[in-house]
Amino acid sequence: MPEIEYEGEDNFAPSPETFPENFTKIGDLGLKNILGRSDVVVNKDLIPVLKTLDDILPTRNIKALVTSGYSQKHQSKCHTQYGSCIDIVPVSEESGCQIWQKLAGALASASMNTYQTQPKIIFETKIQAAVKGCVITNKDECGLEWKQCPKTTGPHIHVEFSR
């Protein structure tokens, strides 16, 4: 199982210092259970689901760290153009794949409670093999399939919310 390596925002895909009016810094939202450096930027449309997620996380005995939001250097259009997704990791004293399942479940519940839609959830990590592009690994002991990509800094959940 991959270890959590993040301390803050994904340095390969940081949020820009200036950003469109319909975006905001996550540090300005007053969230208690979603951690993140104050310079991670998210689309304002995500505020309701992030607040719902912030309320759900303590019921699962975890916190979360947003590692990437809006970015002009990301490979995914949902980060660069639409701002409809974030990269996030679980923060807990627990270890193992169950913590990832808990966060994925919390993300799904927050989206259903807020938008009545399932989010697109992808477990991503740094590529381990010398191959080009991204590959899907075999399932881990919890049944999670990890997408491995060369430019990923470490394990995270890429989640795209839709309304």
Side-chain angles (χ1 to χ4, degrees), residues 78-118:
C78 68
H79 283 283
T80 60
Q81 291 180 4
Y82 314 121
S84 58
C85 59
I86 58 173
D87 292 344
I88 190 167
V89 297
V91 177
S92 172
E93 292 182 14
E94 284 183 54
S95 60
C97 52
Q98 291 85 7
I99 189 70
W100 294 93
Q101 288 177 313
K102 282 184 177 184
L103 179 55
L107 290 162
S109 292
S111 187
M112 286 301 295
N113 290 347
T114 308
Y115 301 135
Q116 286 76 54
T117 61
Q118 285 290 333

Side-chain angles (χ1 to χ4, degrees), residues 13 36 65 131 154 161:
L65 174 68
V131 296
F161 298 103

